[in-house]
Each structure stands twice: as C-alpha cells, then as structure tokens.
Amino acid sequence: MNRRPRLLVTAVVGATAALLLTACGGGDGKPKGNDKIAGADTGGETSASPEASATASAGRPKIELPSDLKLTFEGSKTGDSVKDAILKDNADLIRALNAAIDAQNPRLPALEFYTEGEGAVAAQQWVQSFKSAGWTVTGTVRYFDRQVTVKSQDSASLSYCADESKGFSKVIKTSKVKKTKTTKNSYVAYGVQVEKNKQGVWELVKIVSTRGADRCQP
C-alpha cells in the first residue's frame, strides 16, 4: 500500500506515538502516491474557499484555503461555551494545517498560532514533507462525531472522526490528483490534547490517530 508520512510526537508517558494527520497506516517520511488528506469540520459549517476563514474572536488569524479544497465540520455547537470554543479552535487548527500545506510554508503564522511544543514541531514536519515532495491537498474532507472532554480550565482532550474518502493529494507542478478507491482506511479516528494559552487560544499539544478505526466507519 502506498502511504503518506507518519509524524512522531512524544507521548505523555515519554514513549512515542504516531501522528497520522493523513497517513495510511504509516510511512517513510515522504508523501507517496494514492493517499488521502486530512480534513476538518464544525457541525454543518463549511470552510470558506477561497475566502478567508476567520474566527469571531479578535486577534485570530484569517485562514486562506484553495478553491478546490472543502473542509466541513459537524457538531460545532454543544450548548457549552467552553467546549464550543475548543471545537472551533481545533477546526481552525486543521484549516491552518491545510493552508500551510497549500502555501508550502511549515512556519505559516496561522499554523503557529494554533500549535505549541511537540504539536508545533510535528505540524511543521508534516507540512515540510509535502513541501519536499511538491504536493498539496484537494477535495473534500468531513469531520464528525466530535467529542470534547474538559480536564481543567486550561486543558482538554478531543476525539473525532474524519471521512477522507473524497480528499486527495495533488502534485503542484502537474496538478495531477492522486485519487484512490474508498476503503476502510479512508476513515480515521483522532485523539487530540489541547491547552489554553494566556490569550485564550486552545492550542494543539499532542495528537494521535487510528486509520480504519471501527468507530468511524459509515
């Protein structure tokens, strides 16, 4: 199976955990053909393309996505203001990641705004792998079954699923889209840890995923 890169982040216990933002079971450090992309979603909400996607809070960066990339998110409104803020910042993180890939810029300010520590390093490495391969992202990705657990006033975890069956990689020079058939591995379960900084932004600090997870199958 052709696979996309696997990023490694240090787990809380000091071991390593795989950060598969869009990997098909693992990888060798370079994007390969026939791979899916990571998407995003906020409960019926759609990422503006190519319009700038901006959060309601002052100071948050606008995020520019290409016109051929659509990210949608389900379950953005829980009725709890803290959980809703966490879900929104997480969705904007995913938008920023894809924007950084499209811009071929691992240090895109919007991506740095939503990441910290190991999460920032892993995200930068992931974008760099696309840049080195000359690839970007295209298509549609849907995020669903998004659940938030608030641990403290500045710490939380999220779990959610991604339907990557219509999201693909694209060769920048030729605009060739690397399409693949939909399989069990087109659906990915994510586990994320976030922390709120002094500016009130819920930043990504750790993330792991399971491609082909049973809970995310249609």
Side-chain angles (χ1 to χ4, degrees), residues 160-196:
Y160 51 91
C161 295
D163 174 0
E164 301 180 354
S165 61
K166 297 180 181 179
F168 309 99
S169 296
K170 181 174 71 173
V171 180
I172 294 175
K173 286 186 177 180
T174 64
S175 295
K176 181 180 180 181
V177 177
K178 300 289 187 176
K179 290 190 175 182
T180 61
K181 294 181 179 179
T182 299
T183 68
K184 180 178 181 179
N185 286 332
S186 301
Y187 302 90
V188 189
Y190 289 91
V192 171
Q193 293 182 41
V194 295
E195 294 179 357
K196 187 169 67 172

Side-chain angles (χ1 to χ4, degrees), residues 73-96:
F73 307 84
E74 296 178 0
S76 61
K77 300 298 182 182
T78 66
D80 182 292
S81 61
V82 174
K83 290 183 178 181
D84 289 354
I86 293 169
L87 287 169
K88 188 165 185 58
D89 280 352
N90 178 252
D92 281 338
L93 158 72
I94 300 172
R95 293 186 181 102

Side-chain angles (χ1 to χ4, degrees), residues 122-198:
Q124 290 167 14
Q125 291 176 344
W126 179 247
V127 176
Q128 181 61 48
S129 70
F130 276 85
K131 181 178 180 180
S132 298
W135 283 28
T136 186
V137 287
T138 189
T140 300
V141 180
R142 177 177 65 96
Y143 277 71
F144 60 100
D145 193 15
R146 304 167 72 219
Q147 306 293 329
V148 179
T149 299
V150 178
K151 299 179 179 179
S152 69
Q153 63 180 7
D154 57 6
S155 177
S157 62
L158 297 87
S159 64
Y160 51 91
C161 295
D163 174 0
E164 301 180 354
S165 61
K166 297 180 181 179
F168 309 99
S169 296
K170 181 174 71 173
V171 180
I172 294 175
K173 286 186 177 180
T174 64
S175 295
K176 181 180 180 181
V177 177
K178 300 289 187 176
K179 290 190 175 182
T180 61
K181 294 181 179 179
T182 299
T183 68
K184 180 178 181 179
N185 286 332
S186 301
Y187 302 90
V188 189
Y190 289 91
V192 171
Q193 293 182 41
V194 295
E195 294 179 357
K196 187 169 67 172
N197 64 19
K198 293 181 180 179

Side-chain angles (χ1 to χ4, degrees), residues 39-142:
D41 192 304
T42 57
E45 176 186 337
T46 314
S47 290
S49 302
E51 289 181 22
S53 173
T55 65
S57 299
R60 279 167 166 72
K62 292 183 179 180
I63 302 171
E64 298 284 353
L65 293 175
S67 60
D68 61 344
L69 178 63
K70 181 180 180 181
L71 308 178
T72 62
F73 307 84
E74 296 178 0
S76 61
K77 300 298 182 182
T78 66
D80 182 292
S81 61
V82 174
K83 290 183 178 181
D84 289 354
I86 293 169
L87 287 169
K88 188 165 185 58
D89 280 352
N90 178 252
D92 281 338
L93 158 72
I94 300 172
R95 293 186 181 102
L97 177 66
N98 283 278
I101 291 173
D102 183 67
Q104 300 283 281
N105 182 5
R107 300 300 299 271
L108 189 74
L111 181 58
E112 293 186 334
F113 187 88
Y114 289 105
T115 58
E116 180 61 38
E118 295 167 5
V121 172
Q124 290 167 14
Q125 291 176 344
W126 179 247
V127 176
Q128 181 61 48
S129 70
F130 276 85
K131 181 178 180 180
S132 298
W135 283 28
T136 186
V137 287
T138 189
T140 300
V141 180
R142 177 177 65 96

